[in-house]
Amino acid sequence: MKKIFFILIALLFSIYANSQVITIKSKTNEQPLDLVGITSNKSSAFLTTNSKGEADISVFKGADEIHLQLIGYATVIKSYDELINNNIVFLEMESINMDRIVVSANRSGQSSASVPTKITSIARKDVTLLNPQTAADLLTISGNVFIQKSQQGGGSPMIRGFSTNRLLYTVDGVRMNTAIFRGGNIQNVISLDPFAIENTEVFFGPGSVIYGSDAIGGVMSFQTLVAELSATDEPFITGNATTRYSSANNEKTVHFDVNVGWKKWALLTSISSNDYGDLRMGTNGPEEYLRPFYVIRQDSVDIIQTNNNPLIQKPSGYSQINMMQKLRFKPNHNWDIQYGFHYSETSDYARYDRHIRYKKGLPRYGEWSYGPQIWMMNNLNITNNNDIFLYDQLAIRLAQQYFEESRISRDINDDLRETRTEKVDAYSANIDLSKTIGVKNTIFYGGEFILNNVTSTGINTDISTNVSVPGPSRYPQASWLSYGAYITDKIEFNDKFIIQAGLRYNQYQLDAVFDTTFYPFPFTTANLNDGKFNGSFGFVFRPTKKWIISANAATGFRSPNVDDVGKVFDSEPGSVIVPNPNLKAEYVYSADFGVAKMFGDFIKIDFNVYYTILENALVRRNYTLNGIDSIMYDGTLSQVQAIQNAAVANVYGLQAGFNIKLPSGFALKSDFNYQKGQEELDDGTVSPSRHAPPWFGVTRLSYSTNDLSFQFYSLYSGEKSFEEMPAEEIGKDYMYAIDAEGNPYSPAWFTLNFKTMYKINQNFTVSAGLENITDQRYRPYSSGIVAPGRNLVFSMKAKF
């Protein structure tokens, strides 16, 4: 009898112990749903389900409302007790959502309907279907980000008329921007592995209150895969193996990830390898884009080789490897400690837009490549959920990053090869806290510390003798320091009206030492030490559950970095940029207004309008060095220029979209972006903004059922006529088509594309697609390389 009694007690205890674990499944096919976001009105904690659809919700004990949200599914709201009593929850598929969980607004999970700024999320299921080759291509899925590429190994986002160092990248909450992020196009985003990204958010407009310097035009927040714990006493083991082929560049990609989780410990390993051949352009388009010849080195001589297929862009191929290791320890429901290691390295890759520059009708360069782009990050993230006086949720992020990039160039039939290498050691510490006061008021506050150490070297090599000597470096040896603190207050007056206001103070310092061996600078050091306040104020008004009206006003800033203060390089033939140690921070004022409306439960329309003014803009202007306006650089008498606080710029635009739920699993969705910008020139006149692309958008017809998904979609962009071309771009006629008057311009373009994915069984999925079906030859605005022509994509995925 005693044995039976103890068995019953043990059974009851077991049931009670496991009752805090819920399982979330799709109502359509009863399959578990992973990455379901779970939040509540009681705690600032943010949970997601694992690949078995499981999550331990004990941290929300006693909550009246627990929100279960996943893009593509209807939100479910239940109390803690309801979920405990019925621990299997089914979500219904829904192509239209007015609300979802976002993290980038305040570094904490919250409802998008309570945020006064526009935030776009890119779901992992869309990434799986559309199969982007790089993280830059992944961003185009949003329909709101324009991507420029100087070469195949490139991808520089443009958001609301801003780009490069006026946008901020974060990875797992850690700032990726460094002190050498330049005003010219950058490609650091390709260091991220799309296979290892769990969720991506794009925050539009100034985000400097939370993120500090550089967050002027927007913030791109990438959350990588999280090591998943076991919700039971049994080890939780899962993984994926994927292979992909693309015909336009003969891509061969393989990926593997595996997760092993116990109750308190979990490990995750992810590895990807990519090999991209030379990129083929389309057959229907401007002849100016063709590649009739290229340069090869043969018998110590540069030879101009006829291209047997002018559609092949030689040289443009490269390879890349990505590795990620996660370790997680969760000793109890309150503490969560996660360590992440990231490593990415490319091969050398040619800067294609330099290879199509000509001098006296012949190629200017015998070689021009970026050396391997290396990124490494060690990241420790400590989270504590605890209802105490100072906070409900605490997050501490400590990170160390290493960046390496180089430039290798040589003029045609010149034996002198110049190699410029930059290395950045970046250290950062963030503390973010949130505290709910009463039932209406939530405060978010925190601090940030960032240190970048920049090492720059130059080597000149005579390739005929293989003798190397020191050469001028691209940058001075420098350190860049930033530290700041912020506070944001969100007040929910009622279910219909929310206001949010924030304030930040940020101090920045820069110390640089210049080498005067090669250039006679009138100074040997540069020092900056300044600070900035910035703030934001916005509201959200929901007259009904089918209306969202929002407005936001914000300021932002970008402090001068090492690239602004100390760079020496040739921006274009006949011009050379020299250091300027007398710079101030750029400052931006922005306002936007948005409306979203649901009609019934099958149509959603939304739009945002915005206007932004940039003061003290850091721009390139004519300059003097020791009273001289021209110097010899690379054998050419070049106009001296420098980055200066010499301009005012403004950008305004519209982002609009609709989403229509059609019968039988079909849906129609479209996003459209229109932006115009002007910036002041040296003579007081104005020019169109370089980073405000022509209008662009995407329209998608999709279908989804239990095992089959497909999408037919069109990407498109408007024309940039010669009259609308920025002054900086007019001089790059080698990148553009030529109009009837013989002037460069960027033609309008569109592509038709089809992607499909079929789930053979629980373990195997196949994907296929045909991009640019009509084989258009087009070059996105400001890009150096022509976009892929017709491209067959095939992928297989095994899950265990």
Side-chain angles (χ1 to χ4, degrees):
M1 185 67 183
K2 287 183 178 180
K3 290 183 178 180
I4 296 174
F5 175 78
F6 283 119
I7 290 172
L8 289 173
I9 292 296
L11 181 60
L12 288 171
F13 178 80
S14 174
I15 293 172
Y16 175 76
N18 290 318
S19 63
Q20 296 164 324
V21 176
I22 64 171
T23 303
I24 303 177
K25 298 182 177 182
S26 170
K27 190 173 182 179
T28 305
N29 56 13
E30 298 189 359
Q31 295 302 311
L33 296 174
D34 63 342
L35 302 179
V36 178
I38 307 174
T39 58
S40 84
N41 63 341
K42 179 179 173 62
S43 169
S44 297
F46 172 55
L47 306 177
T48 58
T49 55
N50 62 24
S51 58
K52 290 185 178 179
E54 299 170 336
D56 186 339
I57 62 169
S58 55
V59 70
F60 299 133
K61 187 174 182 179
D64 298 325
E65 291 185 4
I66 296 178
H67 295 245
L68 312 177
Q69 296 175 296
L70 179 64
I71 296 176
Y73 290 84
T75 298
V76 170
I77 303 175
K78 291 181 177 291
S79 70
Y80 178 84
D81 291 336
E82 287 176 314
L83 291 174
I84 293 303
N85 293 330
N86 186 4
N87 61 0
I88 299 179
V89 183
F90 293 93
L91 301 188
E92 290 192 55
M93 292 184 67
E94 184 177 70
S95 58
I96 303 177
N97 295 96
M98 289 288 281
D99 192 11
R100 63 190 184 282
I101 295 174
V102 294
V103 176
S104 57
N106 289 303
R107 292 184 181 268
S108 179
Q110 60 183 308
S111 166
S112 62
S114 67
V115 177
T117 50
K118 178 179 174 63
I119 298 177
T120 294
S121 299
I122 302 174
R124 194 176 177 193
K125 66 172 186 175
D126 293 328
V127 176
T128 303
L129 171 64
L130 296 174
N131 257 326
Q133 289 190 355
T134 69
D137 299 328
L138 181 153
L139 288 168
T140 64
I141 296 174
S142 71
N144 300 123
V145 179
F146 189 92
I147 297 295
Q148 179 276 352
K149 291 186 179 183
S150 296
Q151 62 281 327
Q152 186 175 195
S156 189
M158 296 183 183
I159 298 175
R160 289 191 171 183
F162 293 101
S163 186
T164 62
N165 54 18
R166 291 172 180 157
L167 301 175
L168 187 75
Y169 305 79
T170 69
V171 182
D172 294 341
V174 176
R175 174 192 182 94
M176 194 181 191
N177 293 43
T178 72
I180 62 171
F181 265 39
R182 55 191 181 273
N185 297 306
I186 59 177
Q187 57 270 0
N188 297 74
V189 72
I190 70 167
S191 292
L192 304 180
D193 179 8
F195 289 105
I197 294 174
E198 188 169 273
N199 184 59
T200 303
E201 292 178 7
V202 183
F203 177 104
F204 295 91
S208 289
V209 168
I210 303 297
Y211 295 98
S213 179
D214 301 5
I216 285 180
V219 178
M220 289 157 285
S221 174
F222 299 91
Q223 173 63 56
T224 62
L225 298 174
V226 175
E228 298 178 354
L229 300 164
S230 175
T232 67
D233 292 328
E234 296 296 321
F236 173 69
I237 303 174
T238 186
N240 300 279
T242 304
T243 182
R244 184 177 63 215
Y245 172 80
S246 300
S247 63
N249 57 358
N250 198 28
E251 178 208 13
K252 296 176 283 293
T253 287
V254 292
H255 165 79
F256 175 79
D257 66 76
V258 61
N259 184 102
V260 181
W262 297 270
K263 292 281 286 185
K264 295 182 179 181
W265 291 88
L267 295 167
L268 171 70
T269 301
S270 173
I271 300 175
S272 295
S273 174
N274 314 93
D275 184 80
Y276 308 108
D278 292 327
L279 184 63
R280 174 193 173 277
M281 68 180 79
T283 57
N284 303 306
E287 292 188 3
E288 294 90 345
Y289 296 170
L290 294 173
R291 181 69 163 149
F293 48 78
Y294 56 95
V295 177
I296 62 171
R297 186 77 173 172
Q298 185 174 306
D299 297 327
S300 301
V301 177
D302 291 325
I303 297 175
I304 300 175
Q305 180 78 35
T306 299
N307 193 353
N308 293 330
N309 185 352
L311 301 180
I312 304 298
Q313 300 176 83
K314 295 188 176 187
S316 60
Y318 75 104
S319 60
Q320 180 170 337
I321 187 169
N322 283 80
M323 295 181 287
M324 182 178 75
Q325 180 64 55
K326 293 286 189 78
L327 172 64
R328 184 179 183 184
F329 175 54
K330 191 173 184 180
N332 52 48
H333 300 307
N334 294 329
W335 289 95
D336 194 351
I337 303 170
Q338 299 185 39
Y339 165 76
F341 170 78
H342 303 258
Y343 184 83
S344 173
E345 182 174 353
T346 70
S347 64
D348 290 2
Y349 53 100
R351 180 166 173 179
Y352 185 77
D353 65 339
R354 288 294 192 259
H355 284 270
I356 59 174
R357 285 172 62 170
Y358 303 104
K359 189 174 182 180
K360 297 180 180 179
L362 298 175
R364 178 179 176 181
Y365 295 103
E367 55 182 300
W368 210 120
S369 297
Y370 287 109
Q373 178 172 292
I374 299 173
W375 171 62
M376 182 188 71
M377 179 170 76
N378 291 280
N379 176 29
L380 181 65
N381 189 352
I382 303 171
T383 304
N384 177 236
N385 296 293
N386 204 350
D387 185 9
I388 62 175
F389 174 73
L390 288 177
Y391 63 85
D392 297 327
Q393 185 180 67
L394 162 73
I396 298 174
R397 296 178 181 88
L398 305 174
Q400 176 268 330
Q401 297 181 81
Y402 173 78
F403 300 83
E404 182 177 328
E405 59 186 53
S406 56
R407 294 160 177 80
I408 305 161
S409 63
R410 183 178 57 81
D411 287 348
I412 192 166
N413 284 319
D414 190 331
D415 290 337
L416 181 64
R417 175 190 291 140
E418 298 176 338
T419 303
R420 306 291 179 257
T421 302
E422 284 72 54
K423 300 177 182 180
V424 180
D425 290 293
Y427 307 90
S428 63
N430 292 81
I431 180 169
D432 300 289
L433 308 97
S434 61
K435 177 64 181 177
T436 299
I437 302 173
V439 295
K440 296 182 178 181
N441 197 9
T442 303
I443 295 176
F444 305 89
Y445 64 104
E448 180 180 62
F449 173 87
I450 302 165
L451 173 64
N452 282 192
N453 291 322
V454 178
T455 303
S456 183
T457 59
I459 297 293
N460 292 342
T461 302
D462 186 328
I463 62 173
S464 65
T465 62
N466 205 30
V467 174
S468 296
V469 297
S473 62
R474 180 178 172 90
Y475 297 115
Q477 313 312 305
S479 65
W480 183 85
L481 177 68
S482 172
Y483 50 93
Y486 74 91
I487 184 168
T488 296
D489 192 9
K490 184 179 73 171
I491 303 175
E492 300 185 35
F493 290 95
N494 50 48
D495 292 340
K496 295 184 178 181
F497 190 66
I498 300 171
I499 65 170
Q500 183 167 296
L503 182 69
R504 180 188 183 104
Y505 179 76
N506 209 102
Q507 190 77 13
Y508 61 88
Q509 299 176 23
L510 187 150
D511 296 290
V513 178
F514 293 88
D515 183 356
T516 57
T517 303
F518 300 97
Y519 300 110
F521 301 132
F523 46 80
T524 57
T525 63
N527 306 99
L528 299 179
N529 190 348
D530 202 355
K532 285 293 179 184
F533 277 103
N534 64 279
S536 64
F537 179 84
F539 71 83
V540 178
F541 176 51
R542 299 196 69 171
T544 71
K545 290 185 177 181
K546 295 184 180 295
W547 277 95
I548 298 178
I549 301 171
S550 62
N552 192 64
T555 60
F557 74 99
R558 186 179 77 82
S559 60
N561 63 19
V562 177
D563 183 84
D564 299 310
V565 172
K567 174 173 57 181
V568 178
F569 87 114
D570 62 322
S571 57
E572 58 192 23
S575 296
V576 59
I577 290 182
V578 300
N580 178 7
N582 303 305
L583 296 177
K584 300 289 185 181
E586 298 180 321
Y587 205 77
V588 69
Y589 302 86
S590 182
D592 60 86
F593 175 78
V595 174
K597 175 71 170 79
M598 284 276 292
F599 297 90
D601 61 353
F602 60 93
I603 298 178
K604 176 188 173 185
I605 295 176
D606 66 271
F607 74 88
N608 284 77
V609 293
Y610 59 89
Y611 187 86
T612 303
I613 299 173
L614 178 67
E615 295 185 345
N616 278 337
L618 292 166
V619 293
R620 191 174 75 225
R621 293 287 184 266
N622 289 342
Y623 197 62
T624 60
L625 186 63
N626 292 328
I628 302 172
D629 64 4
S630 298
I631 62 173
M632 293 298 295
Y633 182 81
D634 277 355
T636 302
L637 185 64
S638 301
Q639 168 70 53
V640 174
Q641 297 182 324
I643 302 296
Q644 303 174 52
N645 294 109
V648 174
N650 62 77
V651 181
Y652 60 91
L654 164 73
Q655 293 175 300
F658 66 80
N659 196 343
I660 303 175
K661 181 181 179 181
L662 301 172
S664 304
F666 285 90
L668 181 65
K669 187 177 186 295
S670 187
D671 288 285
F672 176 81
N673 305 266
Y674 174 85
Q675 50 280 313
K676 283 286 186 180
Q678 289 185 330
E679 56 187 39
E680 185 181 5
L681 297 179
D682 200 16
D683 59 3
T685 60
V686 296
S687 167
S689 174
R690 177 188 175 193
H691 292 138
W695 58 262
F696 69 96
V698 59
T699 300
R700 308 179 188 276
L701 175 65
S702 59
Y703 172 80
S704 183
T705 186
N706 291 350
D707 300 320
L708 176 66
S709 298
F710 68 75
Q711 191 174 109
F712 179 75
Y713 62 100
S714 177
L715 301 169
Y716 41 83
S717 176
E719 176 184 299
K720 199 91 159 174
S721 67
F722 174 72
E723 290 74 21
E724 298 173 307
M725 290 282 283
E728 283 188 66
E729 296 297 297
I730 290 176
K732 304 174 184 176
D733 55 353
Y734 54 89
M735 293 193 333
Y736 290 98
I738 304 300
D739 66 18
E741 284 72 40
N743 296 315
Y745 81 110
S746 180
W749 56 265
F750 74 94
T751 64
L752 300 178
N753 314 270
F754 179 80
K755 295 288 179 65
T756 185
M757 180 171 62
Y758 180 67
K759 190 173 184 180
I760 299 173
N761 54 40
Q762 294 302 311
N763 301 109
F764 293 97
T765 302
V766 294
S767 301
L770 192 61
E771 300 173 340
N772 194 0
I773 296 172
T774 58
D775 208 24
Q776 298 297 304
R777 184 189 307 143
Y778 69 100
R779 177 180 268 142
Y781 164 74
S782 191
S783 293
I785 196 163
V786 183
R790 185 181 295 118
N791 184 29
L792 174 65
V793 183
F794 181 78
S795 174
M796 294 187 65
K797 178 180 178 181
K799 182 177 181 179
F800 60 90

